[in-house]
Amino acid sequence: MKLLRFGAPGAEKPGVLDAEGWVRDLSAHVTDIAGDTLLPERMAELRALDISTLPVVAGTPQEDLRLGPCVGRTGKFICIGLNYADHAEEAGMDIPPEPVIFGKWTSAICGPDDAVEIPRGSEKTDWEVELGIVIGKGGKYIDEADALSHVAGFCVVNDISERDYQLNRAGTWDKGKGNDTFGPIGPWLVTPDEVEDYNGLHMWLDVDGKRYQDGSTATMVYKVPHLISYCSQFMSLQPGDIISTGTPPGVGMGQTPPVYLKGGETMRLGIEGLGSQTQAVRRA
């Protein structure tokens, strides 16, 4: 299934994408793509529905029908740093001996095609296409062998970053990661049965039509099951939590000379089988 949330910001309704690319309304069956809806038993009930009998929502998704974040009421937005071998090389940094964890504030979350705002005073706002894991069944001290049973689905994340705030403002990375609009997610939450090989997904990002990132989850250092198990050693994972798993090379900071967003650009990004995002960039 490709689950989604459609409608105006703050008033999104639950939906599902049908085989023809139209949105079908799930409101008669669930209140939101969030919380207990993401538990395995509830997801199984949704899979059992005859999607063709659900009401069609007017409009073309991501054109004249706005899609919101594909998951609602996210409690934790967990990110993994330097998790691609080729990106670590690009950044001139060693591969960490265990996963680097930092957080994005949940107020950063926005729809896949909502505008991205450059913070006031920013000169180094950057981009990062990433594979997002959405937790379904919660837990802590999760065994790596059982980790995939805790996954509700996968999605595209743009881990937008202000590099000066991240690296030079006397604190942890979080200062440069959690500004408003710095966390577009979606367009849809794709259930694991529709993702053939999460270890080999092509991922890409363009700015104004120029391809900057062109990589694959194949170069991920710490894989999905390990990341879920590892994070659960430090916090309980709950339905709707997002783990954003790192980015391949091609970020603005890694260009020679570096290239950063100034306002007025358009970003397009996507991951094989998980859909794409388009964001206009503007200054706050």
Side-chain angles (χ1 to χ4, degrees), residues 86-245:
D86 39 8
H87 173 54
E89 181 180 358
E90 168 188 59
M93 304 175 83
D94 294 333
I95 294 172
E98 53 188 281
V100 173
I101 297 177
F102 62 91
K104 290 177 88 78
W105 319 128
T106 56
S107 53
I109 293 173
C110 61
D113 307 306
D114 292 346
V116 165
E117 287 192 346
I118 298 176
R120 294 179 182 178
S122 167
E123 298 296 336
K124 295 184 178 181
T125 296
D126 204 346
W127 55 80
E128 296 188 8
V129 59
E130 304 202 0
L131 172 68
I133 307 164
V134 176
I135 297 298
K137 181 175 65 175
K140 58 183 178 179
Y141 305 115
I142 295 169
D143 190 274
E144 190 169 331
D146 187 48
L148 292 179
S149 71
H150 292 260
V151 176
F154 300 95
C155 66
V156 181
V157 176
N158 192 353
D159 175 20
I160 299 163
S161 310
E162 211 300 340
R163 300 303 187 186
D164 186 49
Y165 299 177
Q166 176 188 354
L167 301 172
N168 302 318
R169 294 292 296 271
T172 61
W173 286 9
D174 311 270
K175 284 185 180 179
K177 293 289 189 171
N179 292 86
D180 290 357
T181 76
F182 270 27
I185 61 170
W188 15 84
L189 173 65
V190 182
T191 52
D193 56 294
E194 292 201 14
V195 181
E196 291 186 8
D197 181 12
Y198 56 82
N199 287 320
L201 300 176
H202 177 230
M203 50 204 311
W204 55 272
L205 184 145
D206 298 345
V207 179
D208 287 342
K210 179 177 179 178
R211 179 65 45 95
Y212 281 96
Q213 292 192 273
D214 193 3
S216 169
T217 57
T219 65
M220 192 183 291
V221 177
Y222 299 106
K223 307 298 185 181
V224 169
H226 182 76
L227 293 175
I228 295 168
S229 176
Y230 184 84
C231 290
S232 77
Q233 310 308 305
F234 303 98
M235 68 199 84
S236 62
L237 297 177
Q238 297 157 339
D241 286 349
I242 300 167
I243 303 174
S244 197
T245 57

Side-chain angles (χ1 to χ4, degrees), residues 22-128:
W22 299 106
V23 172
R24 301 279 182 154
D25 192 342
L26 281 171
S27 298
H29 300 275
V30 294
T31 59
D32 201 356
I33 308 300
D36 288 351
T37 297
L38 301 169
L39 293 173
E41 56 270 25
R42 294 292 287 123
M43 296 288 275
E45 292 172 5
L46 293 180
R47 277 193 294 273
L49 294 174
D50 182 355
I51 291 175
S52 66
T53 65
L54 300 176
V56 176
V57 179
T60 302
Q62 298 188 274
E63 292 183 16
D64 56 347
L65 175 62
R66 176 188 177 269
L67 299 185
C70 59
V71 179
R73 304 199 306 273
T74 293
K76 293 188 289 296
F77 197 166
I78 306 158
C79 296
I80 309 298
L82 297 173
N83 193 36
Y84 281 68
D86 39 8
H87 173 54
E89 181 180 358
E90 168 188 59
M93 304 175 83
D94 294 333
I95 294 172
E98 53 188 281
V100 173
I101 297 177
F102 62 91
K104 290 177 88 78
W105 319 128
T106 56
S107 53
I109 293 173
C110 61
D113 307 306
D114 292 346
V116 165
E117 287 192 346
I118 298 176
R120 294 179 182 178
S122 167
E123 298 296 336
K124 295 184 178 181
T125 296
D126 204 346
W127 55 80
E128 296 188 8

